[in-house]
Amino acid sequence: MIVHPSSNDGTVICTLETANLSTEPQYSALSYTWGPPTQQAQQRGMTSKRIHPISVNGTPCLVTENLFHFLRFAASNSKPGPWWIDAICINQDDILERNQQVLRMTDVYASASRVVVWLGEEEEYTNLAVRIIKAFGSIRLQDLFRIDPLRPSVGTVVLANETVGLSIDKYGCEALFWFYRRSWFTRIWVLQERALARQLAFQCGSQAVAREDLLNVAIYLSNSNWTHVRFGRPMDPDSALVSVPIISGIKNALAVLVFRLQKNADCGSQLLTAILLSRHCRSSNPRDKVYGLLGLLDSARETKPFNTILPDYRRTIPEVYLQATKLLLESAEDLLILSTVVDRTHKEVDDLPSWVPDYSVTSTTGIWCATERGYRPAKGLQAYWHVGDASSSLSLCASRLDTISEVGESKHELMHERRGEKLLSIVANMKDAYVPGQSKIEALWRTLIVDFWVEENSMDGYIWGKFEFPAPELVEEQFGEWLAWTAAQWLHQEQRCTKPRHPSKTSQETIVLWDRLCKSDDGALLRPVEDILELAEHTNWLDTDIYELELNRSYQVLFDHTPHARFFTTRIGYMGMGPLSLQDGDSVWLVPGSQTLFVLRDKPGLKRYEFVGDCYVHGVMNGEAAEAAIPDLETIELE
């Protein structure tokens, strides 16, 4: 497709040409969003409807507003093309043609001389964001991680004999935030478009941004404390950036890097990796959360059983998701895909079996990334599972470990609603000794972060976080500071600092429970009640000691890795973190082939259960209960 200079009346004029990819034609492929590229554009009324007229081979054609903006930009560019643009080169009104062309898009983007990413027109913040990205980009990625975001200079690093400083104020933070919130960063199709591109160019209005700068800044922001400190509490509690410690657009920029490292894996492993990494991506058609990933698989169209997944937009969403999950289980060596099932409070697609993930949901719930954490609760046990061709139930071998007896607050309630009296009450009433050689205080801090640590590693020139299980002892001190500040916030919220020395009934209960914890084994880790009351009096949460804040935020980073989880205990006395909708009476199961434990709920019928979600139970995640579970293994049905 050629985009010609606009006519005198401003009409965008395009001409289509037929080309054979086998002749290796030279062209650019466009990667963009159909809908509004920014939240600001959406607020101005931009939609994904095709309402702007252009001329294609002399025939009127309608395109979306965002694409229209790009075509005007291309028309004024000295290089007219040729271009491949899906909305014009594919008949979007013909479902059969769309089904066929989806399979060819892999070849289209892989054969293009370059892929141009259109991020949309410039917004008020764009110039500032691009300047900051280029400033970050001028520093090697390894050196970026030596910048300390907690220092007053907001980042100063000494490289050899040269000192480099980056000073970014609130407006700079917001500019970066909004830039990476552009819709393109969360599109499902950009994964294959970017992975297959020979050359990738980014254009935001008149601003060109280097690919490496964008990627390196994304990696740095998503793997350093800088993002947590500058984008979240407690540095600026009134900012629009509250509770956004890592934005989905930044995660997306990392996806292809990891995927390429697993390029030699089989199709099942590649598809599972792609699904895990693309969880945060969005699509206007929920079926594309599966179809949009097929182009990333090596020879997927020729490999059984994955050659049976063909784009068919006539199938219902539950049918597409069930088929994909069945095929993943048929080729999988474990049950990791079940750990991607989101909590029922987050599901958007109805009529799915409880064990089939809702791939349309962009948030992650539960303990789903256990594959990198090293959990092995069923270590040494033989796995078994089976899905019938015409069945929507999953048969698997499992052993009931325990039953949930008490349910505490969710992490959201602990941090954002600032409530924690249930958790304190449950733990205060437990025996001091959790397991031999470990106190209940240690069990608590390990349970809340599902006992993992992120160790910084360098790989192929990139800094990468490696999960370590169990967490090292140094986290213990960080927990003491974090819990002190968190409990002070609970009191602060309850009292509103009006009468800090005359607490309400709820506050009195919190104080009593805290005092009991201080007197238990390892209670010396906790600050005395007097310190908590003093902290609760602070009205300015920014006025803190840097060292204490650094400890507080370090534990908070670990805490935030599983944001949608709920604290619970079992009848035997285990502590755990599980799905938001778990209830008293739900059962915890050890399942060979799974890297986590499962929470199940009884259903009418013999050995039939609803899958509630995966969970972490402290003290049994490394096979401690596996041998004892052997006599109780049985085949059950998940529906």
Side-chain angles (χ1 to χ4, degrees), residues 333-637:
E333 297 180 355
D334 57 36
L335 293 168
L336 177 61
I337 189 62
L338 298 190
S339 290
T340 69
V341 174
V342 298
D343 189 78
R344 60 164 60 185
T345 58
H346 286 68
K347 285 188 176 181
E348 297 177 2
V349 175
D350 297 327
D351 301 324
L352 282 173
S354 66
W355 54 275
V356 174
D358 184 350
Y359 300 114
S360 69
V361 177
T362 57
S363 60
T364 55
T365 66
I367 321 296
W368 72 277
C369 45
T371 180
E372 297 189 36
R373 294 187 179 166
Y375 303 140
R376 297 293 184 272
K379 185 165 56 178
L381 300 186
Q382 183 66 38
Y384 164 80
W385 62 86
H386 174 71
V387 185
D389 292 337
S391 173
S392 61
S393 63
L394 171 65
S395 301
L396 47 79
C397 179
S399 175
R400 187 190 296 260
L401 177 69
D402 204 353
T403 301
I404 294 174
S405 59
E406 292 189 273
V407 178
E409 290 88 355
S410 68
K411 288 193 173 184
H412 183 275
E413 291 167 342
L414 291 173
M415 298 310 304
H416 300 288
E417 297 182 19
R418 298 181 180 179
R419 296 161 41 201
E421 60 274 7
K422 288 183 182 178
L423 182 145
L424 288 181
S425 176
I426 292 172
V427 178
N429 290 321
M430 294 179 71
K431 296 179 180 179
D432 281 357
Y434 184 80
V435 294
Q438 194 171 104
S439 70
K440 67 181 179 184
I441 299 296
E442 181 178 354
L444 176 62
W445 72 255
R446 290 186 179 277
T447 299
L448 290 176
I449 60 171
V450 294
D451 204 9
F452 88 103
W453 172 258
V454 180
E455 179 184 1
E456 190 176 282
N457 286 272
S458 177
M459 179 172 58
D460 294 341
Y462 293 96
I463 304 296
W464 204 253
K466 178 183 178 181
F467 290 117
E468 179 182 333
F469 164 75
E473 295 293 335
L474 63 90
V475 181
E476 194 169 65
E477 183 182 359
Q478 298 173 2
F479 168 74
E481 292 299 321
W482 174 86
L483 189 60
W485 279 97
T486 303
Q489 291 179 60
W490 296 338
L491 293 175
H492 181 84
Q493 174 73 6
E494 177 66 28
Q495 301 170 198
R496 303 299 177 95
C497 288
T498 53
K499 295 181 180 181
R501 293 297 179 180
H502 300 280
S504 64
K505 181 179 178 180
T506 303
S507 297
Q508 287 177 332
E509 293 174 352
T510 299
I511 292 169
V512 170
L513 292 171
W514 185 272
D515 189 53
R516 287 177 58 187
L517 284 176
C518 289
K519 295 176 181 177
S520 64
D521 291 349
D522 273 355
L525 287 173
L526 309 180
R527 288 195 183 189
V529 169
E530 293 75 18
D531 284 4
I532 307 303
L533 290 171
E534 183 178 350
L535 288 173
E537 294 180 26
H538 282 267
T539 56
N540 184 2
W541 292 99
L542 308 185
D543 184 21
T544 61
D545 179 84
I546 291 293
Y547 175 69
E548 290 183 337
L549 177 59
E550 187 167 2
L551 287 177
N552 174 22
R553 296 308 296 174
S554 296
Y555 189 85
Q556 185 69 47
V557 170
L558 301 176
F559 184 88
D560 287 341
H561 267 268
T562 50
H564 303 292
R566 184 178 296 279
F567 180 81
F568 68 88
T569 56
T570 68
R571 292 177 183 174
I572 293 177
Y574 288 121
M575 293 184 194
M577 298 298 298
L580 295 175
S581 60
L582 63 80
Q583 300 173 2
D584 176 14
D586 287 345
S587 50
V588 178
W589 290 73
L590 187 148
V591 181
S594 171
Q595 298 174 33
T596 58
L597 300 172
F598 292 161
V599 177
L600 306 182
R601 186 168 298 156
D602 289 352
K603 294 194 69 174
L606 183 63
K607 297 183 180 180
R608 297 185 177 275
Y609 300 90
E610 173 189 346
F611 184 83
V612 181
D614 66 348
C615 70
Y616 169 92
V617 173
H618 187 65
V620 298
M621 300 304 290
N622 197 32
E624 294 88 344
E627 185 175 350
I630 294 176
D632 299 321
L633 288 172
E634 56 183 310
T635 301
I636 61 175
E637 298 283 329

Side-chain angles (χ1 to χ4, degrees), residues 78-97:
S78 58
K79 297 180 180 179
W83 292 92
W84 187 90
I85 302 175
D86 61 350
I88 300 174
C89 296
I90 299 175
N91 183 356
Q92 299 296 325
D93 296 321
D94 188 331
I95 291 182
L96 291 179
E97 180 174 340

Side-chain angles (χ1 to χ4, degrees), residues 167-205:
S167 181
I168 304 175
D169 58 14
K170 172 183 176 180
Y171 300 104
C173 293
E174 291 179 345
L176 276 179
F177 169 80
W178 287 117
F179 188 88
Y180 279 102
R181 281 292 297 270
R182 285 179 173 266
S183 302
W184 182 88
F185 289 102
T186 60
R187 277 186 66 238
I188 188 69
W189 286 105
V190 307
L191 291 177
Q192 87 165 8
E193 293 165 5
R194 184 175 48 200
L196 300 170
R198 298 180 185 175
Q199 179 184 349
L200 201 61
F202 286 85
Q203 194 72 36
C204 186

